[in-house]
Amino acid sequence: MPAPDQPPEHPSRALVERVVRWFDGARRDLPWRAADRTPWGVLVSEVMLQQTPVVRVEPAWRAWMERWPTPSDLAAASTADVLRAWDRLGYPRRALRLQECARVLVERHDGAVPDDEAALRALPGVGEYTAAAVRAFAFGRRAVVVDTNVRRVLARAVGGVALPAPSPTAAERATATAVVPHDDDAAAAWAAASMELGALVCTARSPRCAECPVRDLCAWRAAGCPGDAHAHRRKTQAWHGTDRQCRGRIMAALRAADAVQGRDALGAASPDETQVDRCLVGLLADGLVVRTPEGYRLPD
């Protein structure tokens, strides 16, 4: 017990300290966490990890960084090569934004990733989360890093609910900000540790509560592990037969081709010809495909 003249320890302090201590022994050995990581490497990892699991990102990240270890290298690359290297990571517009980001870094920041939040937010494809993650993981700065995993950890441990609402709320943001330590090093450690806890232990479907370092502090467990109050609001994303699948097949065909592909050659992307045409229009609008008199190809 604390001495009579000392206030009791704030619950969030114990939460942070235990999760960080757990992380010291449980953290995955990922290349963008290595001691020789670069801010550019961290930024690339964060863009690749958006909606894509680590197991798919790690080999792609290694190949990418070997080929384009600096923003200047990527800025000078052909867009077709960039899209081929992105391969099946999904959402290939992220690859275009990453190359645009590299060009802006060369033009405005002498080819270096800035550590200022406003400057990071001004980069193509960099939003609030990515800017905060780069500040924390690349520069060791205090930032409020809140991804899906962190939201879930805080929803359970602090909020006492099974899962957070489908969209972030102002109350969530206030909670996340209040929990982050004021010290740069401690804040950066908490950002990485809380994210890892959500990814490995406090998972969405089958949380491994017996292995959780803060199970006795968890408000959700204290409440009896109630069910997901927002289950009826959550959308399930279909894949088979969707435009996303069709677009992916068109992009895969163009990445594999050594020459321009005619419209007939791309028809195998879907049995629905109207869907193929609709997806080609969308890919053209997104700058992922170029149309020529002979057919379609990746942009130069």
Side-chain angles (χ1 to χ4, degrees), residues 117-188:
E117 184 172 359
L120 285 165
R121 291 284 298 273
L123 297 173
V126 175
E128 179 181 5
Y129 163 76
T130 303
V134 170
R135 292 195 79 235
F137 305 145
F139 299 105
R141 299 295 183 85
R142 184 185 189 276
V144 182
V145 183
V146 183
D147 75 340
T148 302
N149 291 311
V150 177
R151 290 185 68 209
R152 188 165 56 251
V153 167
L154 292 177
R156 288 175 178 161
V158 180
V161 296
L163 292 170
S167 299
T169 65
E172 275 187 85
R173 175 73 182 184
T175 297
T177 301
V179 171
V180 176
H182 294 290
D183 173 75
D184 278 343
D185 290 342

Side-chain angles (χ1 to χ4, degrees), residues 56-128:
R56 290 177 58 198
V57 167
E58 185 171 357
W61 182 91
R62 291 182 185 278
W64 189 282
M65 293 304 297
E66 182 175 350
R67 189 170 187 179
W68 299 303
T70 70
S72 299
D73 296 317
L74 184 62
S78 80
T79 301
D81 285 344
V82 170
L83 290 171
R84 287 192 177 95
W86 194 260
D87 197 24
R88 296 181 179 274
L89 283 179
Y91 302 97
R93 277 176 291 183
R94 289 183 294 162
L96 296 186
R97 298 294 86 78
L98 189 54
Q99 187 173 40
E100 289 177 21
C101 179
R103 289 170 177 161
V104 171
L105 289 173
V106 171
E107 294 168 4
R108 301 181 190 172
H109 300 282
D110 297 321
V113 177
D115 66 353
D116 176 73
E117 184 172 359
L120 285 165
R121 291 284 298 273
L123 297 173
V126 175
E128 179 181 5

Side-chain angles (χ1 to χ4, degrees), residues 155-156 159-165 204-205 207 219-234:
R156 288 175 178 161
V161 296
L163 292 170
R205 294 185 180 180
W220 180 57
R221 282 176 57 82
C225 301
D228 179 13
H230 304 285
H232 63 289
R233 298 172 55 197
R234 302 191 192 281

Side-chain angles (χ1 to χ4, degrees), residues 165-242:
S167 299
T169 65
E172 275 187 85
R173 175 73 182 184
T175 297
T177 301
V179 171
V180 176
H182 294 290
D183 173 75
D184 278 343
D185 290 342
W190 162 251
S194 56
M195 192 178 297
E196 193 82 331
L197 185 69
L200 300 182
V201 175
C202 194
T203 56
R205 294 185 180 180
S206 302
R208 296 153 60 184
C209 296
E211 301 173 30
C212 180
V214 292
R215 57 187 176 274
D216 60 315
L217 301 178
C218 180
W220 180 57
R221 282 176 57 82
C225 301
D228 179 13
H230 304 285
H232 63 289
R233 298 172 55 197
R234 302 191 192 281
K235 297 178 181 178
T236 56
Q237 248 185 350
W239 170 251
H240 184 70
T242 62

